[in-house]
């Protein structure tokens, strides 16, 4: 099974940006789809967007349009999620998750999560 | 706000059968497969049920899923203490977006 390892916790100021990485091992990265899901403290799961590395195709939840960018580097099997114009409500654990093509929202593998804290 | 509605909590005694509902619409559950995730405290979610009613290898057969129209359900039979967790349904939506349910906290009394 594919393993996903995310970058470490971040503390950011309001108005700044954060970029979280997610490196895959043990599988064929380019054939999968990577989604980013976040979870605010004590809250539920929220899908942010995804990328299909093989096609370099991305799409985002309407709520995050214009503020989030998901990219992928096939040479290092790493996906990135950048969120800009951070506000306190963006404090959350951010997960990357991998699905096989054609298996919408069936996430077989998850990263360990990255805590992003937005505080002045 | 999520477009998939789940009850915020559910509880049962060991050995009981518990059912969690997930209500959506024709643009999501009515058109796409439903997956279920179990999240233990402080950990990443784990795939429990996929494609409406399929269990990944390693998931006990106490867990089962079903779907009818625009609603889906997760059933846990023979409830055990280790089933205490948060459970989420998830599917795709016609607006090209993934959606999760609001989540259900299961307590074993």
């Amino acid at each position: 099974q594919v393993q996903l390892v995310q970058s470490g916790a971040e503390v950011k100021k309001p108005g700044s940006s954060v970029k979280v990485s997610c490196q895959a091992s043990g599988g064929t990265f380019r054939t999968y789809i990577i989604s980013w899901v976040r979870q605010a403290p004590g809250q539920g799961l929220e899908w942010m967007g995804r990328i299909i590395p093989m096609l370099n195709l991305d799409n985002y939840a309407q709520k995050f349009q214009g503020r989030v960018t998901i990219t992928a580097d096939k040479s290092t099997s790493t996906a990135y999620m950048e969120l800009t114009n951070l506000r306190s409500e963006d404090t959350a654990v951010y997960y990357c998750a991998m699905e096989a093509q054609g298996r919408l929202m069936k996430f077989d593998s998850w990263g360990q999560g990255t805590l992003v804290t937005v505080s002045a | 706000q999520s477009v998939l509605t789940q009850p915020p909590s559910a509880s049962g005694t060991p050995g009981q059968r518990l059912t969690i509902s997930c209500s959506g619409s024709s643009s999501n559950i009515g058109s796409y497969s439903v997956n279920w995730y179990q999240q233990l405290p402080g950990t990443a979610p784990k795939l429990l049920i996929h494609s409406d009613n399929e269990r990944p290898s390693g998931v006990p057969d106490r867990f089962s899923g079903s779907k009818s129209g625009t609603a889906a359900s997760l059933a846990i039979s023979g409830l055990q203490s280790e089933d205490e967790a948060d459970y989420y349904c998830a599917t795709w939506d016609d607006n090209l977006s993934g959606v999760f349910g609001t989540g259900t906290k299961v307590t074993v009394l």
Side-chain angles (χ1 to χ4, degrees), chain B residues 5-11 18-22 36-37 39 74 83-89 101-107:
Chain B
T5 303
Q6 299 179 230
S9 63
S11 62
L18 203 62
T19 301
I20 299 168
S21 62
C22 174
W36 289 88
Y37 295 90
Q39 187 178 32
L74 173 72
D83 299 333
E84 274 207 351
D86 294 324
Y87 293 83
Y88 296 90
C89 56
T102 48
T104 299
K105 182 177 184 63
V106 167
T107 302

Side-chain angles (χ1 to χ4, degrees), chain A residues 18-31:
Chain A
V18 69
K19 192 169 186 176
V20 182
S21 67
C22 169
Q23 185 168 38
S25 62
T28 310
F29 179 74
R30 62 188 300 273
T31 66

Side-chain angles (χ1 to χ4, degrees), chain A residues 37 39 43-47 50 59-63 95 99 103-108 110-113, chain B residues 32-33 35 37 39 42-47 50-51 88 90-92 95-102:
Chain A
V37 176
Q39 187 170 38
Q43 303 300 308
L45 302 173
E46 185 172 33
W47 185 85
R50 68 176 194 163
N59 68 288
Y60 305 104
Q62 192 169 6
K63 174 178 178 177
Y95 294 101
E99 68 187 59
R103 311 289 287 189
L104 294 165
M105 296 294 282
K106 175 184 178 279
F107 301 125
D108 300 293
W110 291 74
Q112 81 276 20
Chain B
Y32 302 94
S33 291
N35 308 292
Y37 295 90
Q39 187 178 32
T43 68
K46 169 192 165 186
L47 182 66
H50 68 87
S51 308
Y88 296 90
T91 188
W92 194 247
N95 66 4
L96 299 182
S97 177
V99 286
F100 283 97
T102 48

Side-chain angles (χ1 to χ4, degrees), chain B:
Chain B
Q1 302 89 314
S2 173
V3 297
L4 303 182
T5 303
Q6 299 179 230
S9 63
S11 62
T13 55
Q16 264 190 325
R17 176 182 170 89
L18 203 62
T19 301
I20 299 168
S21 62
C22 174
S23 177
S25 69
S26 59
S27 69
N28 41 68
I29 292 179
S31 298
Y32 302 94
S33 291
V34 175
N35 308 292
W36 289 88
Y37 295 90
Q38 177 192 60
Q39 187 178 32
L40 299 171
T43 68
K46 169 192 165 186
L47 182 66
L48 201 62
I49 295 287
H50 68 87
S51 308
D52 299 337
N53 55 19
E54 300 289 328
R55 274 187 315 277
S57 61
V59 173
D61 59 7
R62 303 186 291 103
F63 294 94
S64 61
S66 64
K67 187 177 87 170
S68 178
T70 60
S73 293
L74 173 72
I76 310 174
S77 59
L79 195 63
Q80 298 182 7
S81 58
E82 57 260 39
D83 299 333
E84 274 207 351
D86 294 324
Y87 293 83
Y88 296 90
C89 56
T91 188
W92 194 247
D93 192 281
D94 280 342
N95 66 4
L96 299 182
S97 177
V99 286
F100 283 97
T102 48
T104 299
K105 182 177 184 63
V106 167
T107 302
V108 181
L109 302 170

